[in-house]
Structures are given as structure tokens and as C-alpha cells.
Amino acid sequence: MKDIEMILASGARTASDRSASGLPSYLDPARLGPWDTYLEQVDRVTPYLGSLATWVETLKRPKRVLIVDVPIHMDNGRIAHFEGYRIQHNTSRGPGKGGVRFHQNVTLAEVMALAAWMSVKNAAINVPYGGAKGGVRVDPRLLSVGELERLTRRYTSEIGIIIGPSKDIPAPDVNTNDQIMAWMMDTYSMNTGEATTGVVTGKPVNLGGSLGRREATGRGVFTVAVEAASRIGLPIDGARVAVQGFGNVGGTTARLFADAGAKIVAVQDQTGAIERADGLDVRALLAHVAECGGVAGFPAARGFETDEFWAYPCDILVPAALEGQITVANANAIKARMIIEGANGPTTPAADDILGERGVLVVPDVIANAGGVTVSYFEWVQDFSSFFWSEAEINQRLVRIMTDAFAGIWSVAQEKKVSLRTAAFIVGCTRILEARAMRGLYP
Ligand code: NAD
């Protein structure tokens, strides 16, 4: 417990402030980056919160942190232990809501930051949720399907004490999908003895999932990109777009851009980087990634050094992989006029400053990738009412919510002469802290 208190006591603000001696792997100080990024973002918004700033400390620590041991039988007869987390950052505006990530680099600090960004995002887009996030430190590519199912079910049982349809509702994130959500829903339902479809979102459509959920985050990214581009006079038709990450978010976003006449000129993922100045065939690339697990080796493209990706000539850059990708080391090399953050936390505050000075418009994660949680909200509402909407209805409502939210944040940015990130934080944090002030010290 002492180590957890150390991290929560957020007095030390940089990795170098913290001692590495004796800390367990999930408290590795070199991996505190995302949480430090989030704290810096809160500091930047605080002067704009007026009297609500009295409550700002509430944003600087998670409400509840659960660390679980996830032991499973491996196919070879061994027992392996994995570390899992579920963190509820804030529940002032409603139950916790946020995805579950399976990745070999998941840490407590990363999940804390991701949970906090969910609080801000859910408030900025105005869905009635607090913020939460979960993760397991595992490389799922190394597991068989049976091992993945056992891991998912055991993790769900362990976090079952704090999740529930009116408590905290997980969803897919990096390396998790509708099959994993089906296992989570089933495990929770079997443990509680009630079919509880509303305990997770992003489920398969015939198990209470929503039409349009799989593509919702990418559709939201594309929608705000169109809105932002129109405000800076950048036509989407013919625009050169570079995308990092070609999974659920990056792949869908790239397809929608290509369908609108943009050229996807460069893509980088965990397997490498590829480029084609005339534009990649996105549908063929999606098929290649589905078959081979990544973009490397795509025949109709040239492979290039991963490090050169950020300097690739383009008009629009979409980071859609992991946090902490755009830093002081590459922000000056970026050629794009506009960055649309599909990933959570891809840009460090110092890189934000450089990009701002260079006139690069950054549309922040808390608005740009909010399409996923918006349709998760629709899914949850449909599960409660057992009445399901058409895909056209869902997409129409999604686009309306994203467009309105972007317009609101754009006006705050213009009025207060701040970045879109600070504007989104002003809108989100104000809503959270108003709820907090009205409710009091609980929840
Ligand atoms: P995914 O698992 O479907 O895809 C992840 C992609 O990132 C893959 O292409 C993978 O190769 C790539 N990647 C992983 N590590 C990398 C590295 N070190 N360098 C370069 N590329 C790397 O995940 P996703 O659901 O598309 O999530 C991507 C991002 O979007 C994450 O930041 C996630 O939190 C965020 N996000 C996802 C959703 C959602 O609904 N899935 C919603 C909001 C935000």
C-alpha cells in the first residue's frame, strides 16, 4: 500500500523526482508520463475555473484504484499471473465509464491517466458518466484464444466487485474487442445470476451491442476533422493524411477519409511504417492488416523507417495508437497543418506548446475520439430499454453530438484565446466540478 500512496500523493511531478528503488513494475517511474501529462493539463485549465478551482484537487487523484492478480492456467499446464487494474477516476456526473486495454506496457500510472481523460471527455461531450479505465499488463498476441478467454473471465471476476451497469461500465480499448466484451458480459452475468447486458458496451450486436459502435470512434474522429478543417480552410477532398495506428480507430478513420477523397499517404503501426505519396488503397490495407496483423509487408507501398513517420509531408496527422507519441523530440518536424487525436494522450504538454507556436491546430483526444463513448452511451440506453435503434439513427445522432460539442469548444477557444485542449478541459472540468460542488464531498 505504501507504494500506491506514493504515486497517489502526486507531489512529485516528474519521473526524475521519484526514486526507482524497490518499486514494483507497475509503479515504474519511467512510465509515469501519461499521469504527469494529465496533471499538467489540469494545472493549465485551473486559472479558467473561477470559484470551482476550490474543488480542483478532486481531479488530481483517482476516486478508486483496484489492482488485481489475474492467475490463469496456460495451455502448457503452467500457471501464469498477470497484473490487472480498474480505476474509477471520478463519478460525480454518473457511473464510471471507460475501456479495458490489454497491452504489455500497461501500468497503474497509464490507467490512472486514461481514467482521468475519460472523466474530462465524458463531461466535455456531455454524456452522463464519470470516468474509469481498466487494463491488464499482457501481450495478448502471445496468448491462445483459450488463454485469452480465461484471462478475460478471471479479470472480470476480480473487478466484478466494483463494476456494474449503474456503477462502472467497461468497453473495448487497445487489443480488446467485441468478443472480449461478450466474455466480460457473460462472466459478470453468471457471477451475479442475472443476464446483465448493460455492464459493458462494445458487445456483439446480437448480445445487446449497438449498430455503429465498432466504427463510432473513427467516425467521430472523422466528423471533428471535417469541422476543424472547414474552420481553417483545408479541403478534405485531396488532403494528404498520415495515420499512426491502424486498428479500430486508425483503420476506420483512414477509410472514412479515403471515402471522402483524401489520400492516406503514410501509416505506421506496431509492425512498421509504409508510405505511398499517391495514396494507399485503404480497403486493401485493411484486408492485409486483418490477415497479417500489421501494415508491414503491404505490397502496394514502400516501407520506411518508423522514426521518420512524424516528419512525413502531410496536411492532417492522426495519431491513433498510444499516448506520449508526439513529444519535444518530433513536434518541430511535423509538417501537418492539423493534428486530430484519435489516441488518448498522444501529445505531451511541451509538444503542445511547440505545435501551438508553429500554428499547427491540435484537436484534442477528449473531443476528437469521444465518438466511441457516445455510441457506448447509446448502447447502454438501448440495453436498459431493450429497444434498438437503426444504424442510420445512431450515426445521425453521433454526428450531431460531435458537431455540436466541437462547435461549443471552438467558441470557448476563440473567446478565451486558448488552445482547443484547454477549451475542452474548461468545458469538461467545469461540468465535473459543478456536479461535485452541488453534491458535496461524496461521491
Ligand atoms: P487497436 O488495438 O484496435 O489498435 C491499436 C493500433 O496501435 C494497432 O494498429 C497497433 O499496431 C498500434 N500500435 C500499438 N503499439 C504501437 C506502437 N508502439 N507504435 C505504433 N503503433 C502501435 O486499438 P484502438 O481501439 O484503435 O485504440 C487506439 C487508440 O485509440 C488508443 O489510444 C485508445 O485508447 C484510443 N481510443 C479507442 C477507442 C475505441 O473505441 N476503441 C475510443 C477512444 C479512444
Side-chain angles (χ1 to χ4, degrees):
M1 282 308 286
K2 190 163 178 293
D3 296 330
I4 298 163
E5 280 159 14
M6 272 180 62
I7 200 170
L8 296 182
S10 67
R13 298 296 304 278
T14 65
S16 57
D17 288 337
R18 296 177 167 94
S19 156
S21 59
L23 289 181
S25 59
Y26 51 80
L27 294 176
D28 175 1
R31 296 277 308 153
L32 287 175
W35 180 246
D36 278 341
T37 293
Y38 166 74
L39 290 179
E40 175 74 34
Q41 291 165 347
V42 173
D43 284 349
R44 288 179 179 206
V45 76
T46 304
Y48 299 96
L49 296 176
S51 60
L52 289 171
T54 324
W55 292 93
V56 82
E57 193 59 27
T58 202
L59 297 172
K60 294 187 178 179
R61 52 194 67 236
K63 170 184 169 59
R64 186 174 285 132
V65 173
L66 181 62
I67 304 175
V68 294
D69 177 35
V70 186
I72 61 164
H73 287 289
M74 303 298 281
D75 292 346
N76 65 8
R78 279 181 48 236
I79 294 172
H81 291 257
F82 298 91
E83 275 162 18
Y85 315 96
R86 186 71 192 173
I87 296 181
Q88 293 161 356
H89 171 262
N90 189 283
T91 55
S92 294
R93 301 182 69 254
K97 182 94 191 79
V100 171
R101 176 174 295 193
F102 289 173
H103 195 276
Q104 59 277 18
N105 294 335
V106 164
T107 62
L108 180 64
E110 180 185 51
V111 183
M112 279 165 60
L114 291 167
W117 284 320
M118 287 310 299
S119 300
V120 179
K121 182 187 310 182
N122 292 336
I125 200 83
N126 210 6
V127 289
Y129 295 128
K133 202 85 180 191
V136 179
R137 176 188 271 256
V138 59
D139 185 347
R141 293 170 305 176
L142 306 177
L143 301 185
S144 69
V145 174
E147 289 165 343
L148 188 61
E149 177 174 353
R150 294 194 286 281
L151 177 92
T152 304
R153 289 186 180 280
R154 182 62 193 252
Y155 168 70
T156 308
S157 285
E158 293 300 327
I159 65 166
I161 52 175
I162 62 167
I163 63 169
S166 54
K167 286 156 74 174
D168 179 3
I169 307 113
D173 191 73
V174 173
N175 291 331
T176 56
N177 56 20
D178 58 351
Q179 172 62 78
I180 288 172
M181 293 307 116
W183 289 328
M184 289 188 75
M185 185 275 276
D186 180 66
T187 305
Y188 182 86
S189 298
M190 293 306 101
N191 285 350
T192 56
E194 290 173 11
T196 315
T197 51
V199 65
V200 290
T201 57
K203 299 179 294 293
V205 170
N206 69 349
L207 286 178
S210 177
L211 293 167
R213 172 60 186 90
R214 218 197 85 76
E215 299 198 324
T217 308
R219 191 172 294 282
V221 171
F222 176 71
T223 303
V224 296
V226 170
E227 292 299 310
S230 77
R231 284 167 171 84
I232 61 167
L234 173 63
I236 295 292
D237 192 7
R240 294 166 305 160
V241 182
V243 184
Q244 187 201 37
F246 208 71
N248 176 297
V249 180
T252 306
T253 304
R255 186 175 58 71
L256 293 171
F257 266 117
D259 289 351
K263 288 183 197 160
I264 307 300
V265 289
V267 177
Q268 188 222 324
D269 75 358
Q270 216 167 354
T271 63
I274 58 166
E275 62 94 21
R276 190 163 187 273
D278 290 345
L280 295 155
D281 178 342
V282 172
R283 282 189 165 73
L285 182 58
L286 285 165
H288 173 82
V289 170
E291 194 186 325
C292 307
V295 300
F298 181 58
R302 185 182 75 86
F304 69 109
E305 283 300 317
T306 312
D307 291 350
E308 290 166 24
F309 172 78
W310 301 106
Y312 195 88
C314 63
D315 305 303
I316 302 173
L317 184 56
V318 183
L322 300 175
E323 58 278 353
Q325 299 296 300
I326 302 177
T327 66
V328 287
N330 55 27
N332 272 308
I334 285 173
K335 310 262 188 326
R337 286 179 65 191
M338 192 168 93
I339 296 174
I340 314 288
E341 294 186 338
N344 285 306
T347 312
T348 64
D352 254 343
D353 291 342
I354 295 171
L355 294 164
E357 278 158 23
R358 294 184 53 226
V360 180
L361 180 69
V362 179
V363 183
D365 47 8
V366 289
I367 176 72
N369 68 31
V373 75
T374 302
V375 176
S376 275
Y377 166 56
F378 297 163
E379 179 174 333
W380 184 72
V381 168
Q382 292 171 84
D383 284 338
F384 271 126
S385 58
S386 296
F387 179 77
F388 291 85
W389 314 344
S390 72
E391 189 160 358
E393 212 171 344
I394 284 159
N395 288 344
Q396 200 180 17
R397 287 180 197 233
L398 168 65
V399 169
R400 203 193 65 225
I401 288 179
M402 297 296 295
T403 310
D404 289 353
F406 180 81
I409 286 162
W410 182 270
S411 343
V412 172
Q414 300 286 306
E415 187 198 314
K416 302 208 182 287
K417 301 192 177 9
V418 294
S419 69
L420 285 176
R421 190 181 318 279
T422 299
F425 267 68
I426 291 173
V427 173
C429 295
T430 300
R431 286 191 181 131
I432 297 169
L433 297 182
E434 273 173 359
R436 182 70 156 165
M438 284 187 275
R439 289 182 71 165
L441 277 177
Y442 282 100

